[in-house]
Amino acid sequence: MTYIRTVLHIIALPLILLAIWFVTTLGETSFFVPTPQVLVETFTETWTSERFVSDVFPSLGRLMIGIALSILIGIVGGLLIGSFRWLRALLEPTLEFFRAIPPPVLIPVIMLLIGIGDEMKVSVIVLGAVWPILLNTIEGVRSMDEVLADTSRTYGMNKINSIRYLILPSAMPQIMAGIRQSLSIALILMVISEMFASTEGLGFAIVQFQRSFAIPEMWSGIVLLGLLGVVLSFIFQLAERWILGWYHGLREIEQAA
Amino acid sequence: MTSEHSQPTNKVISQSSVQDTPDGRIPVGKTMPGEQPMLSVQNLKKVYHTDGGDIEAVRNLTFDLPKGQLACLVGPSGSGKTTLLKCISGLMAPTEGEVTLHGEKVTGPPKSMAVVFQEYGRSLFPWLRVAENVELPLKNQGMDKTARREVVAEALEAVGLSHVPKSYPWQLSGGMQQRVAIARAVAYKPEVLLMDEPFAAVDAQTRADLEDLVRGIWKKLGVSVLFVTHDIDESVYLGERVIILSSSPTIIQEDLLVDLPDERDQLETRSSQRFSELRHHVYEQIQLAKKGFRPEDAVANANA
Ligand SMILES: Nc1ncnc2c1ncn2[C@@H]1O[C@H](COP(=O)(O)OP(=O)(O)OP(=O)(O)O)[C@@H](O)[C@H]1O
Ligand SMILES: [Mg+2]
């Protein structure tokens, strides 16, 4: 019963919005706003054909690599910076500066430096998405429980085991929060990076449709992006529940007390 | 070091009275001549340097812990008990003086020492299950898997937790969590076990059970135990010896032998005449400590 209710909660608002959309476009033939039926048709037509391979695949590939690199760099860098006070003192002001630069403005510079290929697009994604993970990891390492750290020291835990069993898991709630933020940033930057000097990709396709006045196609690209975001966040939630199961259980008990 | 039948009726010997004991009794708590002390604390002083100024948590402490002894440290809140344990366990460097284990100066956490902290909720790894928590130090030592499994099962059995190896610590009650921490220490097979007010946060019934558990483990393993508490009854019930700390800045107020029978029982021991005499004495000393009576000079002489 609760399962059905959950499903209802999830689909209620989309259904209402669809209904409003359906009603307001009924009998109207605005060039810029397609009716739901048209959009559904266009969507399947546009994205199940070879475009899936030529545009969606490369985009997804770059997105995944960008996210993976951000997570890797963010966590490894965060562990290092968080573990050494002097390193943190040395780097933190500079990091704040780089973090404050909106990544899209770096695109022309990166294009000059490393060209217009996949490397450029992945770099843009990483340059934007790495910050929340990096800063959250630093914070997570810093906020280590003192008693737990003392316990590990008294049992003579070596470096590798400390990272594996103490530092990483203890920072994990913050790291996951950082990754969640990074996912949406990565998606945005994936699209933006494809709007510059590109020949394929989702962002390229959407801009292309817009320029050629293929309005329903353009809309269908936007819908696809939205769906992509939903799928990403769904996968993230599954992973989070698996990795942070202990944390949610602990929190529940603490709140009940 | 055990029963001393030949002694006069008042067996409570305070360190402050050592130098004028007519019959030349050995100061209780100090290591006997010829015996190598397992753990030795010499002129330990700890001053915390904070933004708000210096805090002298421990002024001057000297005592030995012989092999296999169960000694209790009692002292009022804030008297530097945790500070002392952290210095002994090598987590913190003393400002002055030193701690030696088997004659070697302690500079970092020694291999043969295990610590059970007061905050059980914060000393167990919440992301590891009960058995994994107990297993981790062994894994870190490179013990192989089958041996590990055996030792873990044995340790959990010893604390009566064989039925919850797969639970997470936070799913257990406070008393059970502290048992897990004890099992982890037991599985580690230390020579010295330090316990910092391990039962301060559990209810009275659980506490009594845990006290008996600690005595049982101590006897079985033959470890030296230094048990910190602020509970006078607990210190007398548990220990072979009670070291009373003064209030801050801390020195040893008194170091006394607990001459209760080796077999202790929550009901019988606690209702015995000797028990109440001893607890009365400890209570008095702590009251004196609170009033600011300090056997400082005497201790200084005794240490000289
Ligand atoms: N990290 C620290 N920095 C500064 N002062 C500290 C620190 N830790 C303890 N102190 C101070 O040192 C004194 C002794 O503290 P400690 O925790 O060792 O006492 P305790 O006997 O363990 O007390 P309790 O019975 O409450 O656990 C206190 O005055 C305390 O405020
Ligand atoms: Mg304390």
Side-chain angles (χ1 to χ4, degrees):
Chain A
M1 226 51 237
T2 49
Y3 179 70
I4 294 174
R5 185 177 293 178
T6 317
V7 172
L8 274 179
H9 279 162
I10 293 171
I11 60 172
L13 187 59
L15 281 182
I16 293 171
L17 290 177
L18 267 177
I20 295 174
W21 179 17
F22 181 78
V23 171
T24 47
T25 53
L26 207 60
E28 218 180 306
T29 47
S30 163
F31 179 70
F32 296 109
V33 185
T35 63
Q37 303 95 302
V38 172
L39 190 66
V40 168
E41 272 163 37
T42 331
F43 187 89
T44 41
E45 251 168 52
T46 314
W47 300 110
T48 52
S49 61
E50 85 273 18
R51 263 200 193 282
F52 193 77
V53 180
S54 66
D55 287 309
V56 182
F57 257 35
S59 286
L60 280 182
R62 289 188 289 261
L63 180 68
M64 289 307 143
I65 295 172
I67 291 173
L69 280 178
S70 302
I71 292 176
L72 191 72
I73 298 171
I75 292 181
V76 172
L79 286 179
L80 280 174
I81 300 172
S83 302
F84 301 103
R85 192 187 297 253
W86 60 271
L87 195 58
R88 205 169 64 237
L90 194 70
L91 292 182
E92 225 157 32
T94 322
L95 288 182
E96 283 300 331
F97 171 77
F98 281 114
R99 176 180 130 86
I101 300 173
V105 307
L106 291 176
I107 293 177
V109 184
I110 298 172
M111 269 163 57
L112 288 176
L113 288 177
I114 58 176
I116 57 170
D118 287 344
E119 298 89 343
M120 178 276 272
K121 291 167 190 138
V122 171
S123 304
V124 172
I125 294 175
V126 173
L127 274 176
V130 77
W131 302 112
I133 305 177
L134 182 75
L135 297 176
N136 273 35
T137 307
I138 296 175
E139 203 42 53
V141 172
R142 260 165 41 92
S143 59
M144 156 78 56
D145 189 288
E146 220 174 285
V147 178
L148 213 50
D150 279 351
T151 304
S152 299
R153 281 186 63 202
T154 58
Y155 285 115
M157 292 262 270
N158 63 39
K159 271 264 140 41
I160 293 172
N161 281 341
S162 292
I163 293 173
R164 164 92 178 70
Y165 295 105
L166 173 71
I167 301 173
L168 207 50
S170 126
M172 201 42 89
Q174 260 127 315
I175 294 177
M176 289 310 272
I179 292 177
R180 179 197 291 273
Q181 290 175 36
S182 290
L183 288 183
S184 44
I185 296 175
L187 189 62
I188 293 169
L189 289 175
M190 174 199 87
V191 177
I192 293 180
S193 70
E194 289 165 356
M195 291 178 168
F196 290 82
S198 216
T199 51
E200 32 81 331
L202 256 173
F204 165 76
I206 291 172
V207 172
Q208 190 78 354
F209 289 138
Q210 186 207 4
R211 291 202 182 131
S212 57
F213 295 101
I215 300 303
E217 283 81 359
M218 180 197 83
W219 278 108
S220 77
I222 293 169
V223 170
L224 183 63
L225 276 178
L227 289 177
L228 205 60
V230 171
V231 170
L232 265 185
S233 116
F234 182 72
I235 295 173
F236 173 82
Q237 277 176 28
L238 280 187
E240 208 229 16
R241 207 165 299 166
W242 181 63
I243 296 171
L244 287 185
W246 64 269
Y247 179 69
H248 295 302
L250 178 66
R251 286 280 303 276
E252 241 170 65
I253 285 183
E254 275 173 0
Q255 276 158 15
Chain B
M1 184 76 239
T2 41
S3 60
E4 285 157 51
H5 297 292
S6 58
Q7 294 219 341
T9 37
N10 180 18
K11 291 177 194 162
V12 180
I13 312 163
S14 77
Q15 215 171 42
S16 50
S17 62
V18 163
Q19 74 276 21
D20 51 34
T21 38
D23 52 355
R25 282 172 297 183
I26 301 156
V28 175
K30 298 290 284 182
T31 306
M32 306 205 190
E35 194 184 333
Q36 160 88 336
M38 160 148 251
L39 180 77
S40 166
V41 176
Q42 278 136 27
N43 298 102
L44 189 123
K45 175 186 179 120
K46 179 70 195 182
V47 179
Y48 286 108
H49 303 285
T50 65
D51 295 340
D54 290 356
I55 300 171
E56 187 182 22
V58 173
R59 173 158 291 175
N60 188 334
L61 290 181
T62 299
F63 64 92
D64 292 330
L65 185 69
K67 189 167 167 50
Q69 190 177 60
L70 200 176
C72 288
L73 258 167
V74 252
S77 192
S79 60
K81 304 184 291 293
T82 301
T83 304
L84 171 63
L85 275 205
K86 281 193 173 168
C87 289
I88 294 178
S89 58
L91 289 170
M92 209 160 64
T95 311
E96 275 172 33
E98 62 176 18
V99 178
T100 54
L101 182 65
H102 290 305
E104 262 179 58
K105 189 173 171 184
V106 170
T107 49
K111 263 207 160 71
S112 56
M113 230 184 241
V115 186
V116 174
F117 292 94
Q118 174 177 348
E119 304 94 336
Y120 47 78
R122 290 167 59 199
S123 90
L124 296 171
F125 298 89
W127 45 85
L128 296 181
R129 294 166 195 277
V130 166
E132 293 168 333
N133 261 286
V134 179
E135 188 187 12
L136 186 55
L138 310 176
K139 205 181 207 167
N140 181 65
Q141 284 182 322
M143 186 188 281
D144 75 74
K145 204 168 181 175
T146 38
R148 248 159 37 206
R149 201 171 296 163
E150 210 165 289
V151 174
V152 170
E154 220 171 87
L156 286 178
E157 174 83 51
V159 300
L161 283 182
S162 305
H163 57 297
V164 289
K166 291 261 160 66
S167 299
Y168 283 103
W170 38 266
Q171 292 172 319
L172 308 177
S173 69
M176 286 166 96
Q177 289 184 37
Q178 198 54 288
R179 275 171 204 265
V180 178
I182 293 172
R184 180 171 60 188
V186 165
Y188 190 67
K189 301 213 164 64
E191 284 181 286
V192 182
L193 178 57
L194 306 177
M195 305 183 91
D196 188 5
E197 301 194 36
F199 311 145
V202 298
D203 63 274
Q205 180 53 50
T206 310
R207 187 176 188 139
D209 292 345
L210 288 173
E211 284 165 6
D212 290 333
L213 176 73
V214 165
R215 270 194 75 89
I217 284 169
W218 164 67
K219 276 189 198 162
K220 209 170 109 193
L221 298 183
V223 285
S224 313
V225 181
L226 190 59
F227 189 102
V228 167
T229 176
H230 62 237
D231 185 318
I232 295 161
D233 287 47
E234 185 168 80
S235 69
V236 174
Y237 179 76
L238 269 182
E240 294 182 288
R241 166 190 179 192
V242 176
I243 302 167
I244 305 170
L245 299 183
S246 72
S247 46
S248 190
T250 313
I251 54 165
I252 292 182
Q253 184 87 11
E254 198 183 356
D255 189 342
L256 67 91
L257 180 77
V258 177
D259 51 358
L260 291 167
D262 199 33
E263 272 312 317
R264 306 221 175 143
D265 176 272
Q266 289 286 353
L267 282 180
E268 245 166 66
T269 306
R270 283 182 192 267
S271 57
S272 74
Q273 165 93 31
R274 191 64 186 141
F275 181 85
S276 59
E277 279 169 23
L278 285 167
R279 83 169 283 287
H280 185 91
H281 182 85
V282 176
Y283 185 81
E284 245 172 19
Q285 286 299 319
I286 288 188
Q287 288 310 311
L288 277 177
K290 281 188 187 157
K291 281 195 202 115
F293 167 78
R294 306 170 66 83
E296 224 170 346
D297 306 330
V299 169
N301 289 339
N303 290 339

